[in-house]
Amino acid sequence: MKKNALVTGASRGIGRGIAVTLAEPGDTVVINFSSSPEAAAETAVAVAAKGATAHLCRFDVANLEAVKEAFKEIIGLRNRVDVLVNNAGINRDNLLALMKAGEWDAVIDTNLKGAFLCSQVVVRTMMRQKHGRIINVTSGVGVIGNPGQCNYSAAKAGLLGLTRSLARELVSRNITVNAVAPGFIETDMTLRLPEKVRVE
């Protein structure tokens, strides 16, 4: 059976790589983005080159109403969602003593709340179809921490806890929930980090 997969934050970097890797002939891969339509279109071209149908879907993963509306559209493509990859993420690095509340909130909202909202909405569909795969993209800094990234580390640590708890809730429904924690990969986000941080 051909799958309907959604990858959040898929316009570039790790998200683009995941979307292209998931794409197989006959599949539908939904490419979520919030601020880079040109980059998302490039991802769509790469997905289509693999023989899959690429569907662009612009919405803010941290906005509940936007997520609900988007999933109505996504589910309508094939009347199901087989795979959700919660990849959308941002960083607003600063030392805790200097960090503004807005820098904390922005990272927690996108990186953690976004995964919660997308998972919560899609889980109902996956339970009805008695099958689903949820993959959360976390980070090693969620385990070991990183100076200047208290907000990012906290969000990624929270994502690990969300993964473990949701996996226990859904295991009996033939829905798996897993997390992957890539190391430093050259993306637009990591290239903004100091070289010392990237090589450690």
Side-chain angles (χ1 to χ4, degrees):
M1 180 178 64
K2 300 306 180 182
K3 62 182 178 290
N4 189 16
L6 165 66
V7 183
T8 67
S11 62
R12 66 186 89 193
I14 293 173
R16 176 181 290 178
I18 293 170
V20 174
T21 300
L22 278 174
E24 295 180 352
D27 288 346
T28 297
V29 178
V30 180
I31 299 158
N32 160 253
F33 67 101
S34 62
S35 61
S36 304
E38 297 84 3
E42 291 175 5
T43 302
V45 169
V47 166
K50 297 281 293 292
T53 298
H55 184 84
L56 295 173
C57 195
R58 186 174 194 168
F59 66 94
D60 178 1
V61 297
N63 182 309
L64 176 58
E65 293 308 314
V67 170
K68 285 181 176 178
E69 286 303 310
F71 271 89
K72 287 179 185 177
E73 176 183 339
I74 294 163
I75 293 165
L77 296 173
R78 290 203 169 187
N79 200 33
R80 60 186 297 115
V81 179
D82 302 284
V83 181
L84 165 65
V85 181
N86 287 308
N87 167 75
I90 61 171
N91 60 350
R92 298 288 184 271
D93 296 349
N94 211 341
L95 296 174
L96 183 65
L98 303 175
M99 186 174 289
K100 297 177 175 62
E103 293 172 326
W104 174 272
D105 290 343
V107 171
I108 297 297
D109 282 354
T110 297
N111 299 18
L112 182 57
K113 181 182 176 183
F116 156 69
L117 292 177
C118 289
S119 297
Q120 186 180 54
V121 172
V122 80
V123 153
R124 297 169 184 138
T125 295
M126 288 183 173
M127 286 195 296
R128 282 196 299 271
Q129 65 197 32
K130 298 180 181 177
H131 179 271
R133 302 289 180 259
I134 298 174
I135 301 101
N136 296 321
V137 180
T138 182
S139 169
V141 302
V143 178
I144 63 174
N146 204 33
Q149 289 194 309
C150 285
N151 48 4
Y152 188 82
S153 299
K156 293 302 187 177
L159 201 51
L160 288 169
L162 172 65
T163 301
R164 293 188 181 103
S165 295
L166 189 56
R168 289 176 177 269
E169 289 184 16
L170 298 176
V171 64
S172 65
R173 306 294 189 104
N174 194 32
I175 302 169
T176 62
V177 186
N178 290 281
V180 293
F184 281 112
I185 296 171
E186 287 193 6
T187 65
D188 291 345
M189 181 187 291
T190 59
L191 287 175
R192 291 196 297 267
L193 296 172
E195 184 177 359
K196 182 177 183 296
V197 174
R198 285 189 272 122
V199 299
E200 285 183 349

